[in-house]
Amino acid sequence: MIALITGITGQDGSYLAEQLLAKGYTVHGTVRRSSVINTSRIDHLISEYDNDKKLILHYSDLLDPGSVSNLVNKIQPDEVYNLAAQSHVAVSFENPIFTSQIGTLGSISLLEAIRNNDKEIKFYQASSSEMYGGAIEKSLNEQSKFDPKSPYAVSKLFAHEITKVYRESYDIFAVNGLLFNHESSRRGETFVTRKITKAVGRIKYGIQNKLTLGNLEASRDWGFAGDYTHAMWKMMQYKTPEDWVIATGETHTVKEFLEKAFTYVDLDWNDYVQSSEDYFRPNEVNYLLGDPEKAKKLLKWKPEKSFDELVEDMVDHDLLEAEKELTLLKDGLIKPTWENPNI
Ligand code: NAP
Ligand code: G4F
């Protein structure tokens, strides 16, 4: 089996590549050219699989439809996973056009490439619970109405709908994974969970003394990224192409995450955390809770890692990172930054 993953350098791309390679797939991934090497999440896979050409990276940007089409033509994949995006909701308010272009141009370029090359190629679109936005239902499933609240969510909604259009119009096996928030030690450092666990590690080692966040009352259905990428693969093996909600069925506030993470290292978060308007968004999604019953029943999928285990794993990882950072600081190899200027 041959898979193409756009966004392989991201959190999900790295877990998905790992899982597909372990199943014996040949994995092709797109990498954006950058002035610094940006493959840190997949370096362990490159050293293991690069020599026997099981993992092959290509320079490609989703904003360049020609490069996307050439790639599909050249690789002739069995499965395409479209994970690339400007995935930060707050940043999408700052860069709305760029964010929208990746979501819209990226998905339709890939679908067109599949339609023109080989309609047997299966397609996965990384849809998002963010598209539900202001929905009033308590628990959200595949039938719930969308109400996007950010440029990011609107661009994801376009990709979601165009995926359905290509499925219905051209009989392409095109699926949407409606994934609720999923985290890990590979999560980008400006998403709230990782921002917290990284700060916990640094505070514990005395490298940082405060943490500034935005809305502490926001509530999210947080799962483990590795469980969710496994669900992506399962959707692609199901007999028919459909839309699937992937979630834990539990929701927690940012405050609850703080409580769990700081208590784990015997600290009281109230002593370190402040909330600033600077980190509030122009439009907030206050509450998200998913209902994964369909995936549980038909895909035989369930989240393996609990909320507590997820938080503890992330804190454990970031304690080790902080310990390494402290050594570098002591050796004078890096300069101290008391708090990362994060979004
Ligand atoms: P991520 O860590 O931010 O990774 C995004 C990936 O997209 C990175 O590899 C990034 O490359 C790449 N990318 C960005 N702009 C690109 C462009 N113009 N052309 C090609 N590649 C580009 O995101 P993630 O958490 O893994 O999420 C994967 C996908 O699932 C995203 O589409 C996200 O919107 C969606 N999603 C995520 C969640 C979640 O909770 N994690 C939930 C629902 C949906 P660089 O490494 O060069 O930046
Ligand atoms: O961690 P977040 O930035 O994730 P958000 O906005 O829910 O988006 C993530 O999940 C979506 C799925 O629902 C994905 F589609 C998307 O790509 C991304 O992966 O923020 C979570 C909550 C928000 O309500 C935010 O306002 O935490 C709140 N928050 C409070 N203080 C903060 C902060 N978020 C960030 N990033 N930074 C803060 O300081």
Side-chain angles (χ1 to χ4, degrees):
M1 292 291 282
I2 302 173
L4 169 62
I5 303 175
T6 72
I8 196 170
T9 55
Q11 170 188 253
D12 291 7
S14 69
Y15 281 108
L16 181 64
E18 213 165 82
Q19 292 165 359
L20 296 183
L21 287 163
K23 288 181 200 300
Y25 277 62
T26 297
V27 174
H28 294 259
T30 66
V31 179
R32 289 192 293 174
R33 196 267 158 185
S34 144
S35 64
V36 287
I37 303 284
N38 60 352
T39 53
S40 61
R41 291 188 181 102
I42 53 167
D43 281 345
H44 63 298
L45 298 175
I46 295 174
S47 53
E48 191 177 346
Y49 292 99
D50 193 38
N51 276 348
D52 53 3
K53 299 268 179 280
K54 292 297 279 182
L55 173 61
I56 303 153
L57 301 178
H58 308 264
Y59 280 115
S60 177
D61 193 304
L62 279 197
L63 299 184
D64 181 343
S67 90
V68 169
S69 166
N70 289 341
L71 209 50
V72 172
N73 210 355
K74 185 165 122 191
I75 297 168
Q76 293 293 313
D78 299 292
E79 298 172 359
V80 174
Y81 295 85
N82 184 27
L83 308 187
Q86 189 300 95
S87 72
H88 202 289
V89 174
V91 172
S92 83
F93 287 99
E94 309 283 331
N95 294 266
I97 297 174
F98 174 65
T99 306
S100 305
Q101 280 173 331
I102 302 172
T104 54
L105 201 56
S107 54
I108 201 165
S109 300
L110 283 162
L111 286 162
E112 271 292 277
I114 290 172
R115 181 167 81 91
N116 293 322
N117 276 283
D118 175 4
K119 287 198 281 196
E120 294 302 307
I121 300 172
K122 293 182 177 180
F123 178 76
Y124 173 89
Q125 171 58 31
S127 278
S128 167
S129 52
E130 192 67 16
M131 292 166 7
Y132 293 117
I136 43 168
E137 286 162 72
K138 195 165 184 297
S139 175
L140 299 154
N141 64 25
E142 292 80 2
Q143 275 71 52
S144 303
K145 285 222 161 34
F146 298 125
D147 182 17
K149 294 286 178 206
S150 63
Y152 167 81
V154 172
S155 95
K156 282 286 175 188
L157 188 52
F158 173 89
H160 182 91
E161 294 297 344
I162 202 73
T163 298
K164 279 166 71 175
V165 167
Y166 273 64
R167 177 203 299 165
E168 288 162 11
S169 310
Y170 306 119
D171 207 18
I172 292 172
F173 191 105
V175 310
N176 283 306
L178 280 152
L179 272 49
F180 282 63
N181 297 50
H182 44 280
E183 320 293 313
S184 71
S185 55
R186 298 184 199 169
R187 185 59 144 151
E189 291 170 9
T190 58
F191 294 94
V192 76
T193 56
R194 188 75 202 288
K195 189 171 163 183
I196 293 171
T197 60
K198 195 171 157 67
V200 166
R202 296 180 95 232
I203 289 169
K204 192 72 187 167
Y205 278 91
I207 310 171
Q208 182 172 328
N209 53 15
K210 65 175 169 52
L211 169 64
T212 312
L213 298 172
N215 179 10
L216 307 185
E217 306 299 335
S219 198
R220 289 290 183 275
D221 182 330
W222 278 300
F224 168 56
D227 288 343
Y228 286 43
T229 52
H230 182 52
M232 293 176 188
W233 177 78
K234 282 195 158 235
M235 291 173 210
M236 295 286 259
Q237 316 314 312
Y238 193 67
K239 58 183 186 244
T240 45
E242 309 205 1
D243 300 337
W244 304 90
V245 162
I246 301 295
T248 68
E250 257 182 51
T251 190
H252 297 271
T253 59
V254 172
K255 259 187 194 159
E256 284 168 339
F257 196 104
L258 282 167
E259 173 76 29
K260 178 74 209 159
F262 277 79
T263 308
Y264 184 57
V265 295
D266 300 320
L267 295 175
D268 182 348
W269 68 270
N270 293 290
D271 295 338
Y272 302 96
V273 178
Q274 60 192 26
S275 170
S276 160
E277 285 294 325
D278 292 348
Y279 292 96
F280 276 68
R281 295 164 184 189
N283 208 354
E284 174 66 293
V285 172
N286 290 307
Y287 181 91
L288 286 175
L289 171 64
D291 169 9
E293 272 322 298
K294 179 183 171 187
K296 279 188 172 168
K297 193 165 159 221
L298 301 181
L299 297 180
K300 311 279 178 241
W301 174 88
K302 64 178 172 51
E304 300 294 337
K305 202 172 275 200
S306 70
F307 175 72
D308 284 4
E309 287 167 335
L310 175 66
V311 179
E312 288 171 12
D313 284 0
M314 290 176 71
V315 173
D316 282 339
H317 174 273
D318 284 332
L319 283 168
L320 288 175
E321 290 291 300
E323 193 183 357
K324 283 187 227 157
E325 189 181 350
L326 189 61
T327 308
L328 293 173
L329 281 168
K330 279 185 176 156
D331 293 346
L333 295 172
I334 54 173
K335 293 216 177 341
T337 51
W338 285 101
E339 187 180 19
N340 283 340
N342 282 340
I343 288 184

